[in-house]
Amino acid sequence: MGLLKLLNEIDTAQLDKEVKDQFLSRKDALGKLSNFSKKLAVAALPLGAVSTLAGPARAQDSGQIISSLNFALTLEFLEYRYYEKGLASGVIDAEDQAIFAQIEKHEEAHTLVLQDTINSLGGTPVEEPAFDFTAGGTFDPLNSYAQFLALSQAFEDTGVRAYKGQAGNVAGSAAVLTAALQIHSVEARHASQVRRMRGSKGWITQDNGIEGVSQADAVYAGEDSTTQAEANVTAVTEIDANGITEAWDEPLTMDQVNSVASLFIEG
C-alpha cells in the first residue's frame, strides 16, 4: 500500500444520477453470469492458460524490468506536464480545476516513484523529453477546454492499456508488479473521471474512439475483442458484445503506445 498512501482519492461526488445509473446497469449486466456459464468459461480455458494464471511469476532480468519502467516513466512525464501546463494556462473551467489539480499531483507522484524504483534496481531513469501538446499544430488544448478534455481522455485511456501491456514484463518482481498495478488502478480512475466529465460512460465500449480526433483511434484499437483467455465470452453468457468489451481493457504493446505518445514528443 506504499504508493497508495501518496495518492488522495478523486472526489466523485459530482457524478449525476444518470452516470450512477449507467454504472449500476453495467454491474447488473455482469451479474447475469449464471453459475453454469461461469463453469463453461473456466472449462473453455486451455490447461496452459489456467496453469499460467495459477503459477508463480517467472524470473526476469532487471534490464527488461527497467526498460518497462522507463517506458512508463515517459508516459507519466507526459501526463504530469500536460496537467501542469493546463492548470497554468487557465483553460480549465473553474469548477473542474480542483479535479485536475489532484490528478496532476497523482501523476507527479507516479514519476517520483518510478524514478526511485529504477534507481533502486541499479538503472538510470530516462530523461524527461520536451513535449509539444499541439502535436505540431494539430491541436490547441491550452486554449480550447474541449480539446484539453479530449486529449486528457486519450492520454489516460492509453496509460491504462499501457500498464496492462507491461504487466507480464515486470511480473518477475513482486514489489515492482505491485507498484505498477497500484499506478494502473489510479490511471483507470483518472480515465473514468475524465470520460464522465466529457459526458461519456466511464469505460470503453467496443473500439469507439474520440469523435473528431482520428489521431486517437490507435488508443482504442483492439478494444472490440470479446475473447478472454481464448474463450469467446459472448458464447458462454447472455451479455452482448458491448457489455463484454466494457468489462475488460485490452493491453497495448510498447510500440502501439509509442506511436501515440510520439505525436506529442519533440525531436
Side-chain angles (χ1 to χ4, degrees):
M1 298 296 289
L3 176 61
L4 293 182
K5 291 181 180 178
L6 297 174
L7 308 175
N8 296 315
E9 292 185 359
I10 297 174
D11 181 10
T12 56
Q14 63 176 318
L15 300 183
D16 58 23
K17 182 178 183 299
E18 180 180 355
V19 170
K20 291 178 181 177
D21 288 345
Q22 288 175 343
F23 172 77
L24 292 175
S25 295
R26 179 175 185 243
K27 185 177 180 182
D28 290 342
L30 292 176
K32 292 179 180 178
L33 282 169
S34 66
N35 289 334
F36 179 65
S37 294
K38 291 177 183 177
K39 292 177 182 178
L40 282 178
V42 173
L45 298 178
L47 291 177
V50 175
S51 63
T52 298
L53 293 173
R58 66 184 184 281
Q60 294 163 306
D61 63 77
S62 60
Q64 183 182 49
I65 293 176
I66 291 170
S67 176
S68 292
L69 292 177
N70 268 323
F71 164 68
L73 178 57
T74 299
L75 292 180
E76 296 295 348
F77 277 140
L78 184 151
E79 292 177 320
Y80 168 45
R81 295 305 181 189
Y82 184 68
Y83 296 121
E84 179 184 59
K85 287 184 177 295
L87 288 164
S89 72
V91 71
I92 300 173
D93 287 352
E95 62 267 26
D96 294 338
Q97 288 178 6
I99 294 173
F100 282 111
Q102 189 64 63
I103 293 177
E104 180 204 21
K105 291 178 182 178
H106 292 174
E107 306 297 5
E108 182 182 19
H110 294 170
T111 66
L112 296 175
V113 168
L114 288 169
Q115 289 177 86
D116 285 346
T117 303
I118 292 167
N119 283 323
S120 71
L121 293 173
T124 301
V126 66
E127 292 186 8
E128 180 180 346
F131 298 109
D132 172 17
F133 294 115
T134 73
T138 303
F139 305 107
D140 192 17
L142 301 183
N143 289 298
S144 166
Y145 189 41
Q147 288 192 23
F148 180 87
L149 286 172
L151 288 185
S152 174
Q153 177 185 318
F155 293 153
E156 296 297 346
D157 283 340
T158 298
V160 173
R161 298 187 67 189
Y163 273 99
K164 186 168 185 178
Q166 292 302 304
N169 291 334
V170 300
S173 168
V176 173
L177 179 61
T178 297
L181 291 175
Q182 288 174 331
I183 294 176
H184 172 268
S185 66
V186 174
E187 294 293 342
R189 293 175 194 149
H190 293 172
S192 179
Q193 177 72 22
V194 174
R195 293 176 67 86
R196 294 175 191 277
M197 292 169 73
R198 296 190 66 245
S200 301
K201 292 180 179 180
W203 46 84
I204 300 170
T205 303
Q206 299 279 357
D207 57 356
N208 296 337
I210 301 174
E211 185 176 355
V213 187
S214 60
Q215 295 84 350
D217 287 350
V219 175
Y220 303 97
E223 283 283 19
D224 56 346
S225 174
T226 59
T227 299
Q228 298 297 326
E230 300 184 16
N232 184 349
V233 186
T234 58
V236 294
T237 74
E238 297 179 358
I239 304 173
D240 63 16
N242 284 349
I244 295 301
T245 61
E246 290 173 351
W248 280 275
D249 280 312
E250 300 301 320
L252 284 176
T253 67
M254 190 177 292
D255 287 342
Q256 288 174 311
V257 174
N258 284 335
S259 72
V260 175
S262 63
L263 297 175
F264 304 93
I265 296 177
E266 295 182 354

